[in-house]
Amino acid sequence: MARPRSSDAHARILAATSELLEQTAVSELCIEEIAARAKVGKQTIYKWWAGKGELAMEAALANVEAHVHVEDTGDTRRDLQSFLKKSARLLRETSTGRTLTALMAQAQGDPEFLEDFRERFLEVRRGALRTLLRGGLKTGQLRRDFDLELFIDLVFGAYWYRMLTRRAPLDDRFAAELLEMLWPFVAARKKAAA
Amino acid sequence: MARPRSSDAHARILAATSELLEQTAVSELCIEEIAARAKVGKQTIYKWWAGKGELAMEAALANVEAHVHVEDTGDTRRDLQSFLKKSARLLRETSTGRTLTALMAQAQGDPEFLEDFRERFLEVRRGALRTLLRGGLKTGQLRRDFDLELFIDLVFGAYWYRMLTRRAPLDDRFAAELLEMLWPFVAARKKAAA
Amino acid sequence: MARPRSSDAHARILAATSELLEQTAVSELCIEEIAARAKVGKQTIYKWWAGKGELAMEAALANVEAHVHVEDTGDTRRDLQSFLKKSARLLRETSTGRTLTALMAQAQGDPEFLEDFRERFLEVRRGALRTLLRGGLKTGQLRRDFDLELFIDLVFGAYWYRMLTRRAPLDDRFAAELLEMLWPFVAARKKAAA
Amino acid sequence: MARPRSSDAHARILAATSELLEQTAVSELCIEEIAARAKVGKQTIYKWWAGKGELAMEAALANVEAHVHVEDTGDTRRDLQSFLKKSARLLRETSTGRTLTALMAQAQGDPEFLEDFRERFLEVRRGALRTLLRGGLKTGQLRRDFDLELFIDLVFGAYWYRMLTRRAPLDDRFAAELLEMLWPFVAARKKAAA
DNA sequence: CAATAAACGAGACGGTACGTCCCGTCTTCAG
DNA sequence: CTGAAGACGGGACGTACCGTCTCGTTTATTG
């Protein structure tokens, strides 16, 4: 019976938020500025989002493709390499990187936010990698006796550590070196097979 | 020629800050509350620290022993294990962990802060591990052909990833598993030598 | 198109200001206390008044009847006496007197405030007296050859001098003596007419 | 045995105060700026004066000759005219005028200050005028039947009113007109005697 | 197709904390 | 011991945003 939600306003709010999120921490987002940029009343924001956290999360993840497409060429090493390079590419794109680090930062002081962030981003990425690795296990390209989750921690840990500390670039070379370093450990011993 | 800085006030300010820092993000520290707790005028805080960042950094690092003592028993594996366990212990102590994640979060929106954090904490830890590993290289307990810095990224990456995402506890078991997973890769191949 | 100004808050602010103004100088008004007493955010005050001056002026003059009713019985001496007594009564009422001296004091260090005060209070009173005297001139009850403005200066000068220096009470007796002293000078010489 | 008070510092403090007093209200004097200008420690000021009031009073009155010299030529009208002109001259000199209005303003919110101001300035001037008028009474140049104090109120009232309201200049012409207006009232009726 | 009821833009409101200014007191050292 | 220097605890300043609350306007049904 009533006027329906304006998807236009909705979009403008998310756009304004994303824009600001590339430059500032979530907690330093200024709702009044978002409203002004989006030409929206403040109430319209509070109507649909509980606070900066929710808003930032939605704005940020709208820009990161929700589902990670994992190739499955049958060659686990190649697929893994491809995944690592794509991940590096995603993260090093400045705006995405800045935004993700902003989310991770926000999560440190806000347990609910962290929970949300894990479900909607971190676990999705872990899941993708896990699927990939399980494929390798099935085809016998990977050893059976290593802790898969710990391995995933190592991979994403290295990525996040570099991203958060700006220690070194997240480029293809890094992805390659990482694979080179870790591969021998997870790869099935071909020679033993031979 | 004037009255000297009050070391007492200085200490009270840092103590109040540490206390609050265990519960809140750096950017949500309330200077007025710090001043009130420390029974200090706000100006005394602004006189000596440029803002919440500087204050939080000093308060946090005052509680983390600046120098990491690295044992050198001659047995690199044992020393490494010991280092990893001590590190895990430091980080999982609630107050320290919370504080460090707060610093890392703050660093994400504040490049100068990050720079400072790297110099005063991250690089100190990296340096300790680097020294330890170089010892192993000298004594031939470690292979020569691996990228030392990348290895350090992997180690600290795993720690920070777990701490920041609260994915799993940073306990001695984690330290043990981590070593078990990574050791084969860096250890010199004794059997090959044999 | 937005929510309209709250006349309630407006009134509470003026009331709180008036209250404080009876006891303190304009420059010593504490905006924070006004806000607290009026149960109002400070910003609401700053939104509508530029500072203590404007606020005090409005609060003070709201309590002083803007227009002075000047009687016109046809008997100039009687009207003048009545005006002088009413003026004395107004000023010696403690709260009004304190408030007006506070405004006059403020005006000394603030030219714009003085200008405003003259227009909104001093000139209104002068105007009333001027009208009264001109009536007397028309009906021939007053001499034509005296400087009307100088006379007005003398009258109000005496009032303000006594009020500001607390030299003596501003009572009806004072008003009577003042008239008695000044009347002969402005009155038309009836005997000459006779 | 002790170092004596530095009359130099004392003078520099008063000088700095006078300087600032020409531009600002007493309550807006900034002790820290006075100390800086006078190259003096704040404590040295607090040591010798209780606050801005006392300091301003001393600084201001040091610049106004304490004793008013009243001429006595034997001609009361001439002496009165001379007194009025000298008074006008004193007050219209910008720095003195500003300073005196600042004192009068301060007195409005500070009873002790008012008391002091009356004793040290207002009553001195009243006394001078009173002496002058009594001389005229003795020599029969003035009527006996008028209220001397009320007359003094009228004179000083007119001066202060003009000065405080900046209504019109305090020039010699004003002094002349004032005398012309008031003289007939206080002068003995010579013609009646004749 | 008018009435109606939610969604909207605007922005005023009560409030919290900010970083600054200055207060009056204190603590040091130089002369 | 006086006096310059200036650190200290404290209080108010005027500003920036917060999240809530009215307003009048717009707009897609529903009666």
Side-chain angles (χ1 to χ4, degrees), chain A residues 22-59:
Chain A
E22 290 171 22
Q23 298 161 9
T24 47
V26 173
S27 65
E28 277 167 356
L29 282 175
C30 174
I31 298 265
E32 302 205 334
E33 190 176 354
I34 292 172
R37 284 192 186 214
K39 306 232 172 195
V40 140
K42 280 196 287 175
Q43 201 65 286
T44 304
I45 297 177
Y46 287 108
K47 181 99 202 257
W48 304 109
W49 291 275
K52 293 172 183 181
E54 285 198 8
L55 180 52
M57 182 80 75
E58 186 170 336

Side-chain angles (χ1 to χ4, degrees), chain C residues 1-3 6 12 40 44 47-48:
Chain C
M1 215 200 275
R3 180 182 183 175
S6 159
R12 268 165 14 230
V40 141
T44 302
K47 183 93 206 269
W48 302 110

